[in-house]
């Protein structure tokens, strides 16, 4: 479950780097909670092909994060914004994260 949340976070960051089909399959399974069989039926494919495609998306998301480290940097910025005593600086940091 925790790993699923990690992939959902990565998806929110890197979804624009995926193809439309990859975004559809991943969001159907992880965001709309459809089973692989339900997605396969909807797509006219097999459960195995959907599984393979979703697995490939997860691998890509991990590769993007390993290279770009946007999630890691956002987490560091969030921690910094929580530690700072200056409210204006904290707000500025949160605005940067949300862009």
């Amino acid at each position: 479950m925790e790993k699923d949340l990690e992939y959902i976070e990565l998806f929110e960051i890197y979804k624009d780097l995926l193809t439309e089909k990859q975004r559809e399959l991943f969001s159907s399974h992880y965001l709309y909670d459809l089973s692989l069989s339900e997605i396969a039926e909807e797509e006219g494919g097999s459960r195995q092909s959907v599984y393979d495609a979703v697995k490939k998306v997860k691998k890509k998301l991990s590769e993007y994060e390993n290279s770009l480290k946007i999630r890691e940097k956002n987490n560091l910025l969030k921690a910094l914004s929580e530690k700072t005593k200056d409210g204006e600086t904290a707000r500025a940091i949160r605005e940067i994260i949300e862009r």
Side-chain angles (χ1 to χ4, degrees):
M1 181 66 153
E2 194 171 311
K3 197 72 164 163
D4 291 346
L5 293 176
E6 180 181 329
Y7 284 115
I8 291 169
E9 260 186 73
L10 293 176
F11 179 75
E12 289 303 317
I13 295 169
Y14 299 113
K15 65 184 169 198
D16 291 336
L17 300 176
L18 300 171
T19 66
E20 184 176 340
K21 188 68 166 178
Q22 289 171 326
R23 287 191 302 267
E24 287 174 9
L25 292 173
F26 185 90
S27 58
S28 292
H29 186 57
Y30 281 98
L31 304 180
Y32 301 119
D33 201 28
L34 295 178
S35 71
L36 298 174
S37 298
E38 290 171 320
I39 298 167
E41 187 176 315
E42 200 173 278
E43 295 291 321
S46 69
R47 182 195 176 286
Q48 185 64 44
S49 66
V50 173
Y51 171 80
D52 291 341
V54 171
K55 184 176 174 182
K56 183 178 177 181
V57 171
K58 289 167 51 175
K59 183 179 179 198
K60 280 190 159 296
L61 293 171
S62 293
E63 288 171 356
Y64 292 145
E65 178 60 16
N66 288 335
S67 295
L68 302 171
K69 305 214 182 297
I70 293 173
R71 179 175 172 256
E72 179 182 323
K73 291 172 186 173
N74 282 350
N75 288 340
L76 291 171
L77 285 170
K78 284 178 191 175
L80 178 63
S81 76
E82 291 169 3
K83 287 181 181 179
T84 186
K85 304 272 189 251
D86 180 358
E88 188 174 322
T89 302
R91 277 191 298 281
I93 293 170
R94 285 191 299 274
E95 285 177 14
I96 290 170
I97 294 168
E98 292 171 3
R99 286 186 190 168

